[in-house]
Amino acid sequence: MQSETVDEAIYVQQAELLVDLLSTFKPVFLKGISEYALIELLKKAPYQFFDEDALRDPLILFKTHFVLFHALYQLKRDWRERNEGELDIHALNISLKPIDKSDAEQNDGAKLTGKVIAEPDKLAEYYLDWSNFEQTDRDSVETLLNGFWQRMAGMRTASYQQSDIDKAHDLLGVNEADGVSRMSLKRAYKKMLQRVHPDKGGNGQQAQKVIQAYQMLSAYYSLNSAK
């Protein structure tokens, strides 16, 4: 039972990181992109978020799809709450559209009265519920899932030199000699991302470097703790 909780925590962490990464993709979403093209983009450098098997094995494909759509619906909710746009999510086209001014004014009024106006979205409910991820063919894919995330972490760290690891520490302002916990690493990452994110006056390239550094160190410390 405890191993299932740990596994789910790994999935949640990956999805949180993906939300941060996708939040820098506004220009991409403004043009529109298919799910397939987005996964292919996230497989390539400098992101390398999904491995090469993401679109090959049907079971891994479902898990990849679920994590991606979970992150997209979370991002849709975040952008809608900040009136930054409406993320239209479909497999053939994922696009960011401006929010209708009358809807924005209605939502602002709802915030003042403590109410939230939102149409029921069954797909959002499905993808934002991790139990749907966990319960899908659980018995037959349990081993596959564990290997999937471990392989992703191994592939990422295997492609980096020690100098890359050192630069990632410097970028996030953490020191391995002082001891780096999962929580302290996440705090340092969130603090740095707030400084460089495009929404805070930074730019997408800076934000992606911070995200990649956090992604690298998360895998680095995960593998080291397992040794």
Side-chain angles (χ1 to χ4, degrees), residues 59 136-145:
L59 294 176
T136 301
D137 202 13
R138 181 193 299 272
D139 293 337
S140 64
V141 302
E142 181 176 357
T143 302
L144 178 63
L145 288 177

Side-chain angles (χ1 to χ4, degrees), residues 178-190:
D178 296 335
V180 179
S181 67
R182 185 171 64 86
M183 291 305 298
S184 64
L185 179 61
K186 186 173 183 178
R187 283 196 298 269
Y189 157 67
K190 289 294 186 182

Side-chain angles (χ1 to χ4, degrees), residues 87-100:
L87 192 61
D88 196 25
I89 304 170
H90 300 283
L92 296 180
N93 189 48
I94 302 163
S95 60
L96 180 62
K97 300 177 180 179
I99 294 179
D100 184 271

Side-chain angles (χ1 to χ4, degrees), residues 20-184:
D20 290 338
L21 180 58
L22 293 176
S23 71
T24 69
F25 278 37
K26 276 188 178 179
V28 174
F29 293 135
L30 285 171
K31 293 180 180 179
I33 187 171
S34 69
E35 178 187 11
Y36 177 85
L38 182 56
I39 292 175
E40 284 291 333
L41 180 62
L42 292 168
K43 284 166 53 179
K44 299 175 182 177
Y47 314 112
Q48 296 177 306
F49 192 89
F50 296 122
D51 72 4
E52 287 301 318
D53 291 329
L55 295 173
R56 295 175 184 171
D57 185 281
L59 294 176
I60 295 182
L61 174 58
F62 171 78
K63 300 302 177 181
T64 301
H65 164 80
F66 191 100
V67 170
L68 177 60
F69 268 51
H70 174 94
L72 286 170
Y73 276 107
Q74 179 63 57
L75 187 60
K76 176 177 182 173
R77 185 167 62 183
D78 293 346
W79 280 349
R80 176 187 286 169
E81 289 177 352
R82 298 198 297 263
N83 290 329
E84 294 186 20
E86 184 70 19
L87 192 61
D88 196 25
I89 304 170
H90 300 283
L92 296 180
N93 189 48
I94 302 163
S95 60
L96 180 62
K97 300 177 180 179
I99 294 179
D100 184 271
K101 289 185 177 180
S102 61
D103 290 340
E105 291 172 357
Q106 188 178 20
N107 284 335
D108 287 340
K111 290 177 182 177
L112 292 176
T113 60
K115 298 178 180 179
V116 176
I117 296 177
E119 296 180 1
D121 190 333
K122 295 299 182 182
L123 282 177
E125 292 176 4
Y126 175 80
Y127 286 110
L128 291 174
D129 185 351
W130 279 108
S131 66
N132 291 319
F133 178 87
E134 287 291 312
Q135 292 171 3
T136 301
D137 202 13
R138 181 193 299 272
D139 293 337
S140 64
V141 302
E142 181 176 357
T143 302
L144 178 63
L145 288 177
N146 292 336
F148 172 59
W149 292 111
Q150 291 170 5
R151 185 168 64 255
M152 285 177 66
M155 289 177 63
R156 290 184 188 121
T157 54
S159 64
Y160 296 122
Q161 302 296 324
Q162 184 59 45
S163 59
D164 296 321
I165 300 296
D166 293 340
K167 289 178 181 177
H169 281 96
D170 291 340
L171 182 57
L172 296 187
V174 294
N175 190 336
E176 185 173 8
D178 296 335
V180 179
S181 67
R182 185 171 64 86
M183 291 305 298
S184 64

Side-chain angles (χ1 to χ4, degrees), residues 204-215:
Q205 186 175 12
Q206 289 177 317
Q208 287 168 11
K209 287 182 179 179
V210 170
I211 292 169
Q212 289 157 21
Y214 176 64
Q215 189 176 10

